[in-house]
């Protein structure tokens, strides 16, 4: 304790009474305020980005849920379509639809000063198939006249939604002068209406934006999510329980741990390479099938769920375990009867978040062939399929203008599914936390 | 000890004038009665007219609805070791943390009453909390060296407050502080090793040295030995005896023997009340209050 | 059909085994459980697992290897001179054999000797459909018989069952290692084939990337085979990742500091979930945002300011990637900061440090390993991110570091090379796997580095 004799003459002395110290203190306070406000600004920027992102999606995408229809008086003219309802070429229905348009526009039945295909291009190419199907379902329609509301073509749709610049020269416009005149006439007559486009959910992909929908993608995505849930959840829980409760601490388990943590951060496209080389080329899984996609997503989601499940297990108080062991339960019984049920909600939360991530995954699916155009939902796990995010990617790259709003609308649908899943996870977590 | 205080004689009047006391309970003399309210105060004639380093008047602390400190008034005299003693949960640590405003960041904590350092209310709006903590240093219960080198740990305060000019002066302060904490000989060859590599007792002395480097007037210690082995405890206790030559020390302890060994006076707390205060010997050997008696005789633990 | 039947049969046998065995065990113990080492239900579980597991394992093996084995056997049916042609021609021949075997539309006649293979394939496929039943049920029956025979009062059925369950769990945990092994094997294998065609030195040091078209071996040999220098791709990846990190690190870190240290608990409770929303958005959505919203904005802005702007700017992809990484960095940094023990904060306060100084001089340095780990993981994600760059960055490899220019990245090239025509004997297709190998190794190094930092951090404060 002799050290303490060197006391007293601290060079700092009473320097803290000086003005220099006070001004220094003011500077220090200012620096603190700068830090605080930079933090606040940073988080405001982050939220502004979120806002901009959502705003750009909604503002560009809300019209994707709408489709423009035109009111036409359609006469199922027997002369054109003949008598046999089963065997009518769709071209005949195109003529019927055109006649309806001519009537609506007050044009003579025989085209003289215009190209009939210009007229055909006003309404959706899907109309003739709809009419064909209607006659097939109901042959007595032949010869009758009906008021119908049929979808217009994508260009007309864009024009009606105000997304085409109609004030430019004819050469730079997608509608000819003639067509523009017809468009204006139809609009002035009040024959054009916007309707909610249910086809976005019930139709599958199409080359025509006004007919394209997400049904095939929705089915494909949820078949794959089902595969992921069925395989990844039990395997991940088993792996997590083993690693957390039973595994000895040795080099091997350490390797497994590093592995799992690394896998959770491996770029998703690498999993695509794995799927291509192993599942498609070696094991012969069918290309673009939900089976192959699901298998890749299972491997991708596994580490995420394992990590979440382990942290759920770790948050179970050791006293639960010890209590069961003290009552003579085996290690297995203690885990199965006390630890696992307590950790289960946490594991489920992690699983749902993992599934939500899998639902949004795109890159690996492209590599196993899902960039292909698929116009029907898969009929089995070996069938060709697509997924919602893949659909978004394809539509974003499609040259037709009408796909731009469809892309954003599809994003809204995808985000809605994710929102539902995440909300479920949060509700689960909150209930769990309240009980614990 | 008396020689350090005689020069302060006659300062009481000045003290009274400088106190900015919102509740008007400024007369410290009125608290030197043997028994006021619920606090038993042992007469201590030798100190009757001496100046005070710190004084507290009618301090209340609320944590939300929890009334943790219920009207405590106690003086701290210069260059004394005052031990705050009592069973766990009695509020002694809470009270200690009030002395350098460490309760400030605690959400929904409310502190009422007066706490003054050399006659200035440290809870005054104009009193910068940095100044408070610079003048009143603190050593925590468990050693909490920063995850930096030993040198950087000591230099932390001087650098922060600009107390030194240049590297040489800083080196000097570091060495001095370590010497006064009795750690210099042990660590002088590893100044640039992490402070967290030291043993528990050494870490605690490092924390004391760190506090000394700021040249505070008062050092608060919150059960500084509770996580240490007996040998380290002994070293720290000896250190405290040395420290009071240049500093005023307020130490929280629940260990009566420790209080007896290191402190000049003892304040005994019980469930948020200050029960009894006075010279260590008087409180421990001649406790007046029933609760103090029980604690001293080992009935309350 | 046969698959569903087999699965159903497996479960039925296993459940029957469970019920029967439980009853028999109870009978052997003279009706009381006390005479048995294990409860009757454990005897039941034991038989259940011993029946089901071998059945399912063989079922899985059969499903996994049915196609490759059948195909291999079919190829063996071919006469030697047909088998000894290039692998490209061989795969073409095989797909024609498949068409013949399926009996659908065929394009022309099969070469001499291949008809036998087609007949064999048709036969093998029919056989394989039903062969699954004995293949899966026989092992199951064997397991059933074996387990049944062990049911005795002294048999430690519970321990045996627990051992089986433990084994199953180990298999599940090992799957992660198998996945890594599979990744390494599949990428390495094809990459080695690539390096046989293109020297590794050219891959690493050539300054030009232009894979050309996928040309089958022997077809138009000597034509432009393309050049495979990874440098421009690497530079492009680096450029975009740098822009992303420059955006994300300051914003993410400051947000985390604000949320963890400065915000009131109530504010934190509102803001943190909002950032998590940003983290939950799929990357394809960010990609569309980059391509349809941010890109046009930057191009217009750049052009109006008189810069020479490419059609697809690296800046747009980089910035949006940064947006994506903000919540990622913020949440990892938040974890690292909140893990700093309060005693250090108190230590700093009691030394007279202000709130800001406590953060910058004590909390952040203490959290540094965790923060470095977070940034490394973010870099790894930036380098491996595909969808944003696929939508917003270009395809043309450009040896440039100009953020307003068009660049491409490693991931874009992998996706692009493998979504068009694929020929697994052309250097073009295989080069994707070489790129994948590089990508895997780089991200592996970053991930393991990040893990090491975080581990060191956890050890310090746990």
């Amino acid at each position: 304790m002799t050290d303490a004799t060197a006391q007293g003459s601290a060079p700092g002395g009473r320097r803290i009474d000086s003005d220099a110290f006070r001004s220094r203190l003011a500077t220090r306070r200012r620096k603190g305020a700068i830090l605080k406000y930079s933090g606040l600004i940073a988080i405001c920027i982050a939220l502004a980005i979120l806002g901009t992102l959502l705003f750009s999606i909604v503002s560009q995408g809300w019209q994707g849920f709408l489709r423009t229809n035109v009111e036409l008086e359609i006469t199922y003219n027997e002369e054109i379509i003949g008598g046999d309802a089963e065997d009518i070429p769709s071209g005949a229905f195109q003529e019927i639809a055109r006649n309806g348009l001519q009537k609506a526009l007050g044009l003579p039945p025989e085209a003289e000063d215009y190209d009939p295909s210009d007229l055909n291009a006003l309404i959706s190419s899907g109309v003739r198939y709809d009419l064909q199907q209607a006659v097939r379902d109901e042959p007595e329609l032949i010869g009758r006249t009906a008021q119908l509301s049929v979808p217009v073509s994508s260009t007309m749709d864009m024009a009606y939604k105000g997304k085409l610049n109609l004030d430019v020269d004819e050469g730079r416009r997608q509608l000819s002068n003639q067509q523009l005149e017809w468009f204006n006439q139809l609009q002035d007559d009040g024959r054009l209406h916007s309707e909610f486009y249910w086809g976005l959910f019930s139709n599958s992909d199409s080359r025509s934006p006004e007919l394209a929908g997400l049904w095939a993608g929705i089915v494909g995505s949820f078949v794959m999510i089902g595969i992921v849930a069925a395989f990844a959840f039990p395997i991940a829980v088993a792996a997590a329980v083993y690693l957390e409760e039973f595994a000895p601490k040795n080099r091997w388990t350490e390797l497994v741990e590093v592995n799992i943590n690394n896998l959770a951060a491996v770029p998703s496209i690498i999993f695509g390479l794995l799927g291509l080389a192993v599942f498609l080329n070696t094991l012969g899984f069918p290309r673009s099938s939900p089976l192959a996609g699901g298998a890749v997503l299972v491997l991708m989601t596994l580490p995420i769920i394992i990590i979440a499940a382990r942290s759920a297990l770790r948050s179970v108080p050791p006293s639960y375990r010890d209590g069961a062991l003290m009552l003579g339960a085996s290690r297995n019984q203690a885990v199965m009867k006390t630890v696992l049920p307590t950790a289960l909600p946490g594991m489920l939360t992690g699983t749902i978040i993992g599934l939500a991530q899998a639902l949004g995954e795109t890159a690996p699916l492209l590599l196993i062939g899902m960039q292909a155009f698929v116009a029907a939902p898969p009929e089995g796990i070996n069938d060709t399929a697509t997924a919602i995010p893949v659909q978004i990617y394809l539509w974003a790259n499609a040259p037709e203008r009408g796909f731009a709003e469809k892309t954003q609308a599809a994003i809204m649908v995808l985000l809605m599914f994710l929102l539902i899943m995440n909300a479920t996870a949060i509700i689960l977590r909150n209930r769990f936390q309240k009980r614990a | 000890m008396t020689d350090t205080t005689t020069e302060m004689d006659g300062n009481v009047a000045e003290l009274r004038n400088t106190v900015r006391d919102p509740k008007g309970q400024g007369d410290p003399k009125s608290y030197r009665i043997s028994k006021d309210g619920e606090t038993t105060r042992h007469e201590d004639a030798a100190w009757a007219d001496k100046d005070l380093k710190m004084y507290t008047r009618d301090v209340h602390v609320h944590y939300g609805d929890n009334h943790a400190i219920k009207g405590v008034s106690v003086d701290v005299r210069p260059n004394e070791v005052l031990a705050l003693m009592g069973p766990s949960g009695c509020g002694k640590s809470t009270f200690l943390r009030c002395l350098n405003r460490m309760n400030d960041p605690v959400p929904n904590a409310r502190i009422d009453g007066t706490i003054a350092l050399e006659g200035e209310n440290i809870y005054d709006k104009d009193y910068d909390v940095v100044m408070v903590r610079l003048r009143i240093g603190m050593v925590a219960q468990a050693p909490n060296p920063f995850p930096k080198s030993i040198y950087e740990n000591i230099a932390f305060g001087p650098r922060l407050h600009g107390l030194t000019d240049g590297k040489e002066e800083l080196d000097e302060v570091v060495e001095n502080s370590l010497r006064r904490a009795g750690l210099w000989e042990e660590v002088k060859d590893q100044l640039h090793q992490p402070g967290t590599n030291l043993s528990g007792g050494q870490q605690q002395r490092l924390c004391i040295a760190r506090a000394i480097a700021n040249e505070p007037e008062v050092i608060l210690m919150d059960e500084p030995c509770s996580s240490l082995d007996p040998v380290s405890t002994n070293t720290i206790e000896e250190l405290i005896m040395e420290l009071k030559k240049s500093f005023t020390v307020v130490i929280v302890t629940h260990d009566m023997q420790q209080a007896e060994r290191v402190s000049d006076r003892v304040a005994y707390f019980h469930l948020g009340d200050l029960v009894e205060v006075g010279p260590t010997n008087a409180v421990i050997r001649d406790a007046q209050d029933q609760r103090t008696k029980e604690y001293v005789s080992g009935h309350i633990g | 059909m046969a698959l569903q039947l087999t699965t159903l049969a497996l479960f039925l046998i296993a459940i029957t085994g469970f019920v029967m065995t439980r009853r028999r065990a109870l009978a052997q113990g003279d009706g009381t459980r006390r005479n048995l080492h294990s409860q009757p239900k454990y005897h039941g579980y034991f038989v259940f697992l011993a029946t089901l597991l071998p059945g399912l394992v063989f079922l899985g093996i059969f499903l996994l290897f049915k196609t490759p084995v059948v195909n291999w056997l079919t190829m063996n049916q071919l006469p030697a001179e047909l088998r000894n042609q290039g692998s490209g021609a061989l795969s073409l021949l095989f797909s024609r054999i498949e068409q013949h075997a399926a009996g659908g539309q065929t394009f022309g006649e099969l070469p001499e000797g291949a008809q036998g293979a087609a007949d064999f394939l048709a036969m093998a496929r029919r056989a394989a459909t039903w062969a699954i039943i004995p293949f899966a049920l026989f092992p199951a029956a064997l397991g059933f018989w074996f387990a049944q025979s062990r049911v005795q009062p002294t048999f430690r059925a519970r321990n045996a069952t627990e051992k089986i369950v433990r084994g199953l769990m180990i298999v599940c945990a090992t799957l992660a290692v198998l996945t890594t092994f599979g990744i390494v094997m599949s990428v390495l294998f094809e990459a080695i084939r690539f390096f046989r065609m293109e020297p590794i030195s050219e891959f690493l040091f050539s300054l030009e990337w232009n894979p050309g078209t996928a040309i089958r071996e022997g077809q138009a040999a000597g034509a432009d085979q393309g050049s495979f220098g990874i440098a421009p791709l690497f530079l492009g990846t680096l450029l975009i990742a740098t822009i992303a990190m420059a955006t994300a690190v300051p914003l993410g870190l400051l947000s985390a500091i604000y949320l963890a240290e400065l915000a009131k608990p109530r504010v934190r409770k509102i803001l943190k979930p909002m950032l998590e929303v940003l983290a939950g958005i799929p990357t394809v959505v960010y990609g569309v945002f980059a391509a349809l919203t941010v890109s046009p904005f930057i191009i217009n802005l750049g052009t109006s300011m008189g810069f020479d702007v490419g059609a697809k700017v690296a800046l747009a992809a980089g910035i949006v990637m940064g947006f994506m990484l903000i919540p990622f960095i913020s949440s990892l940094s938040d974890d690292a900061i909140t893990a700093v023990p309060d005693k250090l904060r108190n230590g700093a306060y009691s030394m007279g440090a202000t709130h800001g100084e406590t953060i910058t001089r004590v909390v952040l340095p203490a959290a540094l390993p965790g923060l470095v780990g977070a940034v490394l993981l973010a870099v790894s994600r930036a380098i491996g991110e595909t969808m944003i760059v696929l939508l917003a960055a270009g395809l043309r490899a450009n040896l440039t570091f100009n953020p307003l220019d068009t660049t491409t990245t490693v991931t874009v090239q992998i996706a692009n090379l493998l979504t068009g025509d694929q020929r697994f004997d052309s250097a073009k297709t295989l080069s994707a796997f070489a790129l994948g190998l590089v990508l895997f190794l780089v991200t592996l190094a970053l991930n393991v580095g990040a893990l090491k930092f975080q581990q060191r951090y956890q050890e310090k404060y746990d």
Side-chain angles (χ1 to χ4, degrees), chain A residues 221 224 268 272 288-289 292-294 296-297 358-359 361-371 386-390:
Chain A
S221 273
M224 286 190 278
S268 60
S288 354
S289 64
V296 171
L297 292 180
L359 182 61
E361 203 50 70
T362 325
L365 300 183
L366 295 180
L367 290 204
I368 55 156
M370 283 209 180
Q371 90 290 358
T386 183
I388 306 174
V390 174

Side-chain angles (χ1 to χ4, degrees), chain A residues 293-363:
Chain A
V296 171
L297 292 180
V298 165
L299 294 186
M300 277 192 66
T301 317
L302 256 180
I304 297 168
I305 305 184
I306 292 178
I307 290 171
R310 290 188 69 179
S311 78
L313 284 169
R314 230 171 291 146
S315 66
V316 176
S319 56
Y320 283 39
R321 218 162 286 147
D322 300 344
L325 289 175
M326 272 183 248
L327 291 172
S330 72
R331 192 102 177 93
N332 263 11
Q333 285 169 323
V335 171
M336 296 297 167
K337 296 252 163 69
T338 60
V339 179
L340 208 51
T342 322
L344 201 61
M347 292 176 165
L348 280 177
T349 309
T351 305
I352 295 174
I353 289 171
L355 291 183
Q357 214 162 319
L359 182 61
E361 203 50 70
T362 325

Side-chain angles (χ1 to χ4, degrees), chain A residues 24-25 28-29 31-32 35-47 49-50 52-54 56-57 60 234-239 241-243 246 252 254-263 265-271 273-274 276-279 281-285 287 298-299 302 306 328 330-333 336-337 356 359-363 366-367 369 371 389-390 392-393 396-397 404 407-408 411 414-415 418-419 422 426 429, chain C residues 39 41-42 63-65 67-68 158 161-163 165-166 168-170 172-177 179-183 186-187 190 250-252 254-255 257-259 262 264 271-272 274-278 280-286 288-289 292-293 312 323 326 352-357 359-361 377 380-381 383-387 390-391 411-412 414-416 418-420 422 424 432-433 435-437 439-440 443-444 447-448 451-452 455:
Chain A
R24 187 187 161 87
L25 191 56
R28 288 165 62 188
R29 290 271 177 221
K31 277 186 189 157
L35 181 70
K36 177 162 185 170
Y37 286 112
S38 349
L40 192 61
I41 290 169
I43 201 151
C44 286
I45 291 176
L47 294 180
I49 289 166
L50 178 65
T52 316
L53 177 62
L54 294 180
S56 85
I57 291 169
Q60 294 172 40
I235 294 177
V237 169
V241 168
Y242 176 72
L243 290 173
F246 300 115
W252 172 246
E254 204 175 298
L255 182 72
V256 173
E257 290 221 39
V258 173
N259 233 299
I260 289 171
N261 286 326
N262 175 52
L263 271 186
V266 164
S268 60
I269 195 163
I270 299 273
F271 282 92
L273 289 175
L274 169 76
L276 181 58
V278 173
F279 293 135
N281 287 356
T282 309
L283 297 176
F285 284 16
R287 275 181 79 83
V298 165
L299 294 186
L302 256 180
I306 292 178
S330 72
R331 192 102 177 93
N332 263 11
Q333 285 169 323
M336 296 297 167
K337 296 252 163 69
L359 182 61
E361 203 50 70
T362 325
L366 295 180
L367 290 204
Q371 90 290 358
V390 174
I392 292 171
Y393 169 68
N397 278 336
T407 307
Q408 306 283 10
I411 286 176
L414 176 63
L415 291 183
L418 293 178
L419 192 71
N422 282 313
I426 289 169
R429 183 169 63 188
Chain C
Q39 288 183 30
K41 66 175 181 190
Y42 281 107
L63 289 178
L64 282 181
F65 295 104
T67 319
R158 200 194 72 201
T161 312
E162 289 185 353
K163 216 174 259 173
V165 172
R166 188 77 53 92
L168 273 180
M169 293 200 289
I170 293 178
C172 290
T174 313
L175 203 65
V177 182
T179 309
T180 307
F181 183 75
I183 288 177
S186 54
V187 175
E190 308 287 356
L251 288 175
L254 282 170
S255 301
I257 291 170
Y258 184 78
L259 282 181
L262 297 161
K264 293 189 179 73
L271 292 184
K272 206 170 152 54
M274 292 178 87
L275 269 188
E276 279 170 9
V277 169
L278 206 54
I281 294 174
T283 55
V284 67
V285 176
Y286 283 104
V288 172
F289 182 58
L292 299 187
T293 307
K312 289 194 162 184
F323 293 168
I326 290 172
T354 64
H355 198 161
E357 287 159 347
I359 296 167
T360 51
R361 300 207 180 194
L377 277 181
S380 160
R381 272 194 72 169
I383 290 177
E385 170 51 39
T386 310
M387 291 320 292
L390 196 54
L391 278 155
T411 51
V412 168
I414 294 176
N416 188 48
L418 291 180
T419 49
Q422 293 169 19
F424 272 83
F433 286 88
L435 293 179
L437 179 65
L439 183 62
F440 179 74
T443 53
L444 178 76
N447 296 344
V448 171
L451 282 176
K452 282 274 169 297
Q455 250 169 22

Side-chain angles (χ1 to χ4, degrees), chain B residues 86-88 254 268 294-295 298-301:
Chain B
S88 42
H254 59 247
Y268 177 72
E294 281 175 9
Y295 184 79
H299 288 293
I300 310 175

